[in-house]
Amino acid sequence: MAMQVALGVCRVNPSPLMTIKNVSVRCLATQASPKSKAVQDKTGKNIVFVDGVRTPFLPSGTGYQKLMPHELARHALLNLSRRTGIPREAVQYIVYGTVIQEVKTSNIARDSALCAGFSERIPAHTVTHACLSSCQAITSGIGLIASGAYDVVVAGGVETMSDVPIRLNRNLRSILLKMNKAKTPMAKLKLLASFSPKYLAPELPAVAEFTSGETMGKSADRLSAAFTVSRQEQDDYARRSHQLAHEAHEKGYLTDIVPFPIPGSSKVISRDEGVRVSDPEKLAKLKPAFIKPHGTVTAANASFLTDGASASIIMPEKKAKELGVKPKAYLRDYIYVSQDPVHQLLLGPAYAIPEVLARAGLTMQDIDVWEIHEAFAGQILANLKAMDSDWFAKTHMNRSEKVGVPDLAKWNTWGGSLSIGHPFAATGVRLVSHAANRLIKEGGRYALVAACAAGGQGVGMIIERHPDA
């Protein structure tokens, strides 16, 4: 491949290897190897993923718009207990993720658990790791179990983008706080005199990267340009995601969903409502959403703002046997990575995948199921092209040769975040649940979960199908 430096990454000429047309994909890694490798248990506990559930994922501003985050989380937690048959009193610790914090529930893990009827004696804490938050919840649970502190841990995440906190102007906040401390009428009048009408302009939650001031959409546009990912490639990949998600719904594969009855109405939501299979011609007519007029990222090939919650339960295999439950998978290994947040913001999977494979002693060919977070179609295709580039491997990854391309016939075959939706902190559990369920459905042994996140971070996780699943 001919290539040249661009935007701190690389520019790779388009390759037929990565072209996606009409949901068919050509790739390198098509030869399956015998699954005789055993991944070492590093915790001494053989920690298992028993099961995971989630609410249907909905575009923000729709069915969940009148609900608060803890109400969605409560539903996931309640149904996790019902689904697994594990009594709430058996849970010893709860870790929950969220990104855009609701100020009324400062520790949403604790507040949601109490609302779901979990004992007040069960400690809980909230984590935030951008789009990796519920992966962080799971791996925090792994750490708690590995240390011997607890056996039964619930991990999940929730995000409600329909009602995000909007703050008063910083100058107005300052006046109000000082007013509360002013002791004399003259002091209060002096503060009021400093007021300006422009202080009434509210402060919306930041949608830009802290380090670069750039929106993730613009970064995805630049990344797509750097790896010469065309608009048509992105639209084709997005259409693939929606088509596969639609088929998974129709075939009843998405069993992690627990229907959500909307309070105060007779409506029950039972499926993800962002899945749309559009004609290629309609996708091609959409205008660029971020870099205008020449950008390639549109509303159709980017993940959308989403509301939803998820929850899972993990424990040592020995404890699962004691409780009489059949786990779905072993949680074998994981790694978090970080890189340049300006030029490589969304390349987390390209870095995390080879790292976690090496830690587990596996190769690409050993992976039967790939569940990778789709922030943008261009981001996914750029990661795949980075993994298929010797230059990128040598220049940025300290590797002697390229990582290679996964078998895309095993890649997000039930759809992904582009179609299912992406409630920031809930997606991690969704990825792991789908990976475990696909291993069972497809008869595989190993799955790899990976995702990118704000700040130039990423995660890679290896799970193995449990023999009793």
Side-chain angles (χ1 to χ4, degrees), residues 57 59 62 238-246 249 271-279 283 300 304 418-420:
F57 287 176
T62 60
R239 189 169 184 272
R240 171 189 188 267
S241 181
H242 282 270
Q243 181 66 48
L244 292 173
H246 173 74
H249 271 292
R271 60 189 294 160
D272 304 313
E273 295 190 347
V275 181
R276 301 282 188 276
V277 182
S278 300
D279 294 332
L283 297 181
F304 48 89
L418 287 171
S419 50
I420 292 170

Side-chain angles (χ1 to χ4, degrees), residues 80-145:
L80 178 67
S81 181
R82 293 167 181 163
R83 171 74 62 86
T84 62
I86 298 171
R88 283 171 288 186
E89 55 268 23
V91 175
Q92 298 171 320
Y93 203 94
I94 296 172
V95 190
Y96 226 73
T98 197
V99 178
I100 307 297
Q101 181 74 53
E102 165 58 52
V103 295
K104 290 184 179 180
T105 49
S106 59
N107 182 359
I108 199 161
R110 174 68 167 168
D111 298 330
S112 302
L114 292 175
C115 288
F118 284 81
S119 169
E120 61 186 19
R121 295 183 177 275
I122 300 174
H125 79 270
T126 300
V127 297
T128 183
H129 199 161
C131 301
L132 314 180
S133 292
S134 56
C135 289
Q136 181 64 65
I138 290 173
T139 58
S140 294
I142 292 173
L144 291 169
I145 294 170

Side-chain angles (χ1 to χ4, degrees), residues 249-406:
H249 271 292
E250 293 302 305
K251 294 176 180 178
Y253 291 166
L254 305 187
T255 56
D256 56 327
I257 296 176
V258 287
F260 194 105
I262 300 298
S265 76
S266 59
K267 184 177 182 181
V268 177
I269 299 172
S270 59
R271 60 189 294 160
D272 304 313
E273 295 190 347
V275 181
R276 301 282 188 276
V277 182
S278 300
D279 294 332
E281 294 76 16
K282 291 183 178 179
L283 297 181
K285 291 179 181 178
L286 292 177
K287 295 181 179 180
F290 299 99
I291 298 179
K292 303 174 182 180
H294 303 299
T296 56
V297 176
T298 71
N301 59 41
S303 59
F304 48 89
L305 295 179
T306 314
D307 301 340
S310 60
S312 64
I313 190 162
I314 67 175
M315 62 187 69
E317 184 178 33
K318 180 180 178 182
K319 187 66 177 181
K321 291 180 179 178
E322 290 177 7
L323 293 174
V325 297
K326 291 185 177 181
K328 290 190 170 182
Y330 294 106
L331 296 168
R332 286 307 192 196
D333 216 330
Y334 66 89
I335 188 76
Y336 290 96
V337 297
S338 292
Q339 57 279 340
D340 174 9
V342 178
H343 301 302
Q344 299 187 11
L345 175 68
L346 302 169
L347 287 178
Y351 284 92
I353 286 170
E355 289 288 335
V356 78
L357 285 173
R359 284 177 57 87
L362 298 175
T363 67
M364 289 274 195
Q365 289 73 28
D366 294 314
I367 303 302
D368 302 294
V369 165
W370 296 85
E371 280 293 330
I372 313 298
H373 166 49
E374 300 170 345
F376 303 87
Q379 161 256 329
I380 288 288
L381 296 171
N383 273 269
L384 290 169
K385 289 192 176 186
M387 292 167 63
D388 196 35
S389 165
D390 283 319
W391 181 89
F392 188 86
K394 294 173 182 177
T395 306
H396 293 287
M397 303 180 71
N398 196 29
R399 298 176 64 90
S400 59
E401 59 183 4
K402 64 186 180 183
V403 176
V405 183

Side-chain angles (χ1 to χ4, degrees), residues 7 9 219-227 343 346-347 379 382-383:
L7 300 177
V9 192
S219 181
D221 244 326
R222 290 197 301 109
L223 189 67
S224 298
F227 283 92
H343 301 302
L346 302 169
L347 287 178
Q379 161 256 329
N383 273 269

Side-chain angles (χ1 to χ4, degrees), residues 164-182:
V164 297
I166 298 176
R167 302 198 300 180
L168 296 173
N169 183 278
R170 185 182 185 92
N171 293 307
L172 182 55
R173 298 202 308 270
S174 177
I175 291 174
L176 293 174
L177 289 171
K178 291 177 181 177
M179 187 78 72
N180 192 46
K181 296 179 181 179

